[in-house]
Amino acid sequence: MAYGVYLSYYLEHASLPGATPLDFAFVGGLNFAAAMLVAPLVTFLARVFGIQIPMLSGVAFLAGGFILASFAATRWQLYLSHGALVGAGVGFTYIPSIPILSQWFAKKRSLANGITSAGSGVGGIVFSLASSKMIKHISLGWSLRITGIVAFVLNSLAVVAIKDRNHVIKPSQHPFDTKLLSRYDVWLLLLWSFGSMLGQITLLYSLPDFALSLHLPQSKSTEVLTFLTLGTAVGRPFIGCLSDRFGRIRVAALLTLSCGIACFAIWIPAKGFAVSVVFAIISGAILGVFWVTIGPLCVEVAGLHHLQSLLSLSWLATVLPAFSPSTASNLPPLPPPTGFAPLTNRALILLYGRDAAHYLQGLTTTNIRNYTSDSLGGFYTAFLNAQGRVLHDVFIYPIDHASGFREQLEGIRDDEPGFMIDVDQAHGEALRLHLKRYKLRAKITLRAVDPGECHIWATWDDAAVEMAEDTPPQPQNLGCIDTRAPGMGKRILMSTNASKALQGEETSVESYDVRRVLKGVPQGHKEIVSGEALPQESNIDYMSGIDFRKGCYVGQELTIRTHHTGVVRKRILPVQLYDFNEKPPENLQYDPSSIMTVPDAPQNIARVNTRGRSAGKFLRGVGNVGLALCRLETMTDIKLTEEGSQWNPDHEFKMSWPSKDDDVKEKEVKIKAFVPDWHRNRVSVRDMHRQQNA
């Protein structure tokens, strides 16, 4: 179980060049598969030499694998050391010991197996916590070496003390007993072993990565795994008692079913640390039903004489599940070409009343009056502070003519104008307070919309050149064309779940964000930093969010002055990260299997091998792509004035930040900015207007 701690480290720090999450998954699978694959050989050696010699060999393999893994510099070295050698060590040490308890106990056979298998839970807690602390305070290498040394000493003492009853029972000990395979009850046991191990391996190695996908730190990921092992330590003796009391086959079947139900009822809906811990404890308690019951079950099916032979077959049945992907990248997949996604990271505010339109007219950068006619379409806009800085970028949907939609909202009368405001969920309350601040005597009402009352969806179709703007919306829905960039599709507000009403493939909001980042569309307070970002630098003007012909509104003075007399030298652009040993990418391309280390944003961007002022600021990353506020004449070929540009196609840029790993003082990654075509089109239009005005 301690490999889950190392797995979290490998995924977060990208310590092996060229390794992917699938490589680290393969190491975990190879570790387990190697332990089971050596079962026939170990069974044969135990029959010839007794159990001590194979077990002492396993102790040496296990310690050697950990120590060699501490020096691994390539993924192949990690395969052979932490994967194959450690796995073989576990197999040689563990497999000969499994039949021994069943030889010494009859009535309390399952309880005895439960108590001893609980030792892996206690050991898992100790090694998980110790490994995490050693990695943090010493290094990854020394953590592996110390683990190997401790395992060698303790396992050697245990092997010397262990005693079997083979000389009394005279077991068959066939490495591959074909006679047993002619029995249907043996096949049922082997199928259960296969399915049980498939679920256990997937859960065991995916749980730490799942915690990271919830944006929990590595320390919390380790704690989740620790609670899983705690559940194992507490639950396995209890499973043994139940098995002896109510029947070993019956209890094994019911607990396997219970673990599957817990995955669907608790794990999949989990959104935070607390629920993940609850699931870890529950699943840990029943997850190890295979290890508690496999020995007693083999006795129930084949008898004590054929115990080792059936165990050998059972181990082989678990080899293939061990190679199941033990983890996947915690990055979202590429969005489908035609699809839709629930925008669960957005919140809604309902604003209605006699003065609603006039009230919003004085606060937003768009002319509200253009959208209060017979159109059901919404629009993109922003709220600024008095200094002209962006507070919130939003979508606003007039609901005056959406009769079906209005009927589903509480508190609003038919004759009252109203608007739905779609805002970043983390800043929904901040926007409500901002709107309330300017209310004074205006005849308006504000309220936050409950997430279950209305759902926000994004939909797109890459095959269509443009989403048809004249598509009549349904009266029970609101929506608009997403004008921020070509091909962004539509946004739809529905009072019911839209998964059956929309066309295409449903995907997650994280996958939708990848699509948005690749198009260079910033959104929300993390990318358009509230109270700091300027609207033009955040592309709000390019994204049809500012009407420069509009009259007075909060923050207008700086915005208009910049438009008419100033030059916008920085803009948010999509960027791609790449290693120092890689060539600069020719095209912007997202890699969902990337283990690129992304620094905490914001992070300054500088030229490689050159000192000078910052070339930009990294704002947000998803795997190997992200968004950054870039100096256009430094990081791109865009020329803003007749003066000389600082851009050079041979220049490369980087980000540097302090490393959490004591072995490396500083982490670095290269970064390249890309100018979307729709940006260049806006620049061309701007230059044409300037020539006409001149």
Side-chain angles (χ1 to χ4, degrees):
M1 290 187 179
Y3 181 69
V5 177
Y6 295 116
L7 178 63
S8 296
Y9 180 89
Y10 291 140
L11 290 173
E12 185 172 352
H13 292 81
S15 53
L16 293 182
T20 67
L22 188 59
D23 290 314
F24 298 125
F26 184 77
V27 171
L30 179 61
N31 182 304
F32 216 98
M36 302 297 102
L37 197 60
V38 299
L41 176 61
V42 173
T43 303
F44 171 77
L45 293 175
R47 184 177 69 183
V48 175
F49 301 106
I51 64 172
Q52 264 79 18
I53 290 179
M55 292 181 73
L56 287 173
S57 301
V59 171
F61 293 156
L62 185 65
F66 277 115
I67 293 173
L68 290 175
S70 70
F71 298 101
T74 67
R75 55 185 176 179
W76 294 106
Q77 293 172 354
L78 195 66
Y79 288 164
L80 296 175
S81 57
H82 211 150
L85 197 55
V86 170
V90 170
F92 270 77
T93 307
Y94 181 73
I95 289 172
S97 68
I98 287 296
I100 294 176
L101 285 174
S102 296
Q103 294 176 351
W104 288 98
F105 292 87
K107 293 183 178 180
K108 300 295 183 181
R109 182 173 290 151
S110 294
L111 176 59
N113 279 273
I115 293 173
T116 54
S117 62
S120 66
V122 176
I125 295 174
V126 173
F127 275 97
S128 294
L129 292 176
S131 298
S132 179
K133 293 295 183 182
M134 287 188 290
I135 290 173
K136 181 177 180 180
H137 297 290
I138 306 175
S139 68
L140 172 68
W142 273 108
S143 174
L144 289 165
R145 291 168 207 142
I146 293 172
T147 300
I149 294 170
V150 172
F152 179 83
V153 173
L154 295 180
N155 284 321
S156 296
L157 295 174
V159 170
V160 171
I162 199 167
K163 301 295 180 183
D164 62 43
R165 298 187 67 216
N166 288 342
H167 62 285
V168 176
I169 298 173
K170 307 291 185 182
S172 58
Q173 291 184 290
H174 290 299
F176 193 83
D177 194 338
T178 55
K179 292 183 179 179
L180 289 175
L181 293 176
S182 63
R183 298 171 49 175
Y184 80 94
D185 53 351
V186 169
W187 276 104
L188 290 176
L189 179 65
L190 296 181
L191 289 173
W192 173 78
S193 301
F194 178 91
S196 182
M197 189 56 57
L198 178 64
Q200 178 176 342
I201 290 294
T202 302
L203 193 154
L204 182 63
Y205 290 134
S206 296
L207 197 56
D209 190 35
F210 173 75
L212 292 176
S213 73
L214 297 178
H215 307 292
L216 298 174
Q218 186 181 353
S219 59
K220 293 295 184 183
S221 171
T222 301
E223 289 178 19
V224 170
L225 187 63
T226 301
F227 280 108
L228 180 100
T229 54
L230 175 64
T232 298
V234 174
R236 287 186 177 180
F238 183 63
I239 292 175
C241 289
L242 292 177
S243 297
D244 290 328
R245 175 67 177 83
F246 298 105
R248 287 148 191 159
I249 295 177
R250 184 181 296 110
V251 169
L254 289 175
L255 289 179
T256 302
L257 177 63
S258 299
C259 192
I261 293 173
C263 290
F264 286 97
I266 305 175
W267 189 17
I268 293 177
K271 298 297 183 182
F273 177 69
V275 180
S276 299
V277 167
V278 171
F279 172 74
I281 295 174
I282 294 175
S283 62
I286 56 180
L287 180 66
V289 63
F290 174 83
W291 303 107
V292 177
T293 59
I294 186 60
L297 284 176
C298 286
V299 176
E300 293 274 328
V301 172
L304 200 57
H305 178 72
H306 295 291
L307 171 60
Q308 281 98 319
S309 299
L310 185 50
L311 279 173
S312 181
L313 295 175
S314 300
W315 304 140
L316 289 177
T318 62
V319 170
L320 188 59
F323 273 113
S324 65
S326 53
T327 184
S329 171
N330 59 343
L331 297 177
L334 278 166
T338 301
F340 57 94
L343 302 185
T344 54
N345 57 357
R346 306 290 289 181
L348 288 171
I349 296 174
L350 175 62
L351 186 151
Y352 61 93
R354 186 178 65 189
D355 298 332
H358 178 74
Y359 180 73
L360 286 176
Q361 180 74 0
L363 293 178
T364 61
T365 56
T366 303
N367 195 337
I368 301 295
R369 297 188 180 96
N370 293 338
Y371 299 92
T372 54
S373 60
D374 292 337
S375 172
L376 289 179
F379 54 93
Y380 178 69
T381 186
F383 291 90
L384 311 181
N385 63 16
Q387 291 73 39
R389 306 278 175 168
V390 180
L391 292 178
H392 311 279
D393 68 306
V394 302
F395 280 86
I396 297 181
Y397 311 89
I399 64 173
D400 295 4
H401 307 282
S403 57
F405 191 89
R406 291 173 63 97
E407 292 173 358
Q408 320 245 351
L409 300 174
E410 297 180 1
I412 182 171
R413 298 198 306 267
D414 292 340
D415 59 343
E416 288 183 314
F419 299 87
M420 277 284 198
I421 304 175
D422 168 0
V423 64
D424 188 340
Q425 186 181 57
H427 274 212
E429 180 62 16
L431 175 57
R432 193 186 69 82
L433 294 176
H434 175 73
L435 292 170
K436 190 175 180 180
R437 174 185 177 187
Y438 292 94
K439 182 176 181 293
L440 300 178
R441 296 183 179 180
K443 304 297 183 183
I444 62 168
T445 301
L446 287 166
R447 75 171 176 89
V449 178
D450 187 88
E453 192 175 352
C454 185
H455 305 271
I456 312 174
W457 296 82
T459 179
W460 62 89
D461 183 0
D462 288 344
V465 178
E466 293 289 344
M467 301 289 282
E469 295 193 23
D470 56 353
T471 301
Q474 298 297 319
Q476 69 271 22
N477 304 331
L478 292 178
C480 71
I481 303 296
D482 190 340
T483 58
R484 292 177 296 178
M488 281 298 292
K490 293 181 179 180
R491 293 171 85 91
I492 299 176
L493 273 64
M494 304 183 74
S495 56
T496 58
N497 193 305
S499 58
K500 296 181 180 180
L502 299 177
Q503 295 182 349
E505 178 183 344
E506 182 175 357
T507 188
S508 64
V509 64
E510 291 82 9
S511 183
Y512 168 78
D513 281 341
V514 171
R515 173 184 171 84
R516 182 175 55 77
V517 167
L518 290 174
K519 288 185 175 292
V521 176
Q523 173 181 283
H525 71 285
K526 291 185 177 180
E527 299 164 16
I528 304 176
V529 182
S530 181
E532 298 181 13
L534 292 169
Q536 283 98 326
E537 290 184 350
S538 304
N539 304 326
I540 294 178
D541 56 338
Y542 282 5
M543 298 188 296
S544 306
I546 302 177
D547 187 344
F548 291 107
R549 296 169 298 178
K550 178 185 174 181
C552 182
Y553 58 89
V554 175
Q556 179 199 29
E557 182 179 354
L558 177 63
T559 306
I560 295 297
R561 186 170 67 246
T562 302
H563 173 67
H564 289 294
T565 64
V567 176
V568 182
R569 299 189 180 275
K570 294 183 290 184
R571 285 193 180 271
I572 295 178
L573 298 176
V575 295
Q576 183 166 332
L577 311 181
Y578 59 104
D579 287 327
F580 268 70
N581 58 356
E582 296 179 341
K583 294 182 179 180
E586 295 292 333
N587 301 297
L588 182 65
Q589 188 171 3
Y590 170 67
D591 180 8
S593 66
S594 170
I595 56 170
M596 182 69 62
T597 301
V598 179
D600 295 333
Q603 182 67 47
N604 285 330
I605 302 172
R607 283 194 183 95
V608 174
N609 299 326
T610 304
R611 292 186 177 181
R613 67 176 180 175
S614 172
K617 184 180 292 185
F618 183 71
L619 299 172
R620 189 260 175 96
V622 184
N624 67 323
V625 299
L627 294 171
L629 181 62
C630 304
R631 292 190 180 275
L632 297 177
E633 291 188 325
T634 302
M635 296 187 67
T636 75
D637 60 349
I638 291 181
K639 191 174 182 180
L640 300 173
T641 65
E642 297 301 325
E643 302 174 3
S645 172
Q646 298 178 349
W647 181 74
N648 186 321
D650 295 328
H651 285 171
E652 291 186 281
F653 300 88
K654 68 174 183 177
M655 294 185 291
S656 305
W657 66 97
S659 174
K660 299 177 182 178
D661 186 358
D662 293 338
D663 294 339
V664 181
K665 292 183 179 180
E666 189 175 62
K667 283 189 173 292
E668 289 186 323
V669 66
K670 288 184 178 180
I671 183 170
K672 182 177 180 179
F674 291 85
V675 182
D677 290 339
W678 61 275
H679 266 248
R680 295 187 185 276
N681 294 337
R682 302 294 198 277
V683 173
S684 300
V685 171
R686 180 206 62 195
D687 292 342
M688 180 182 66
H689 286 320
R690 286 186 174 179
Q691 291 175 3
Q692 291 175 351
N693 293 334

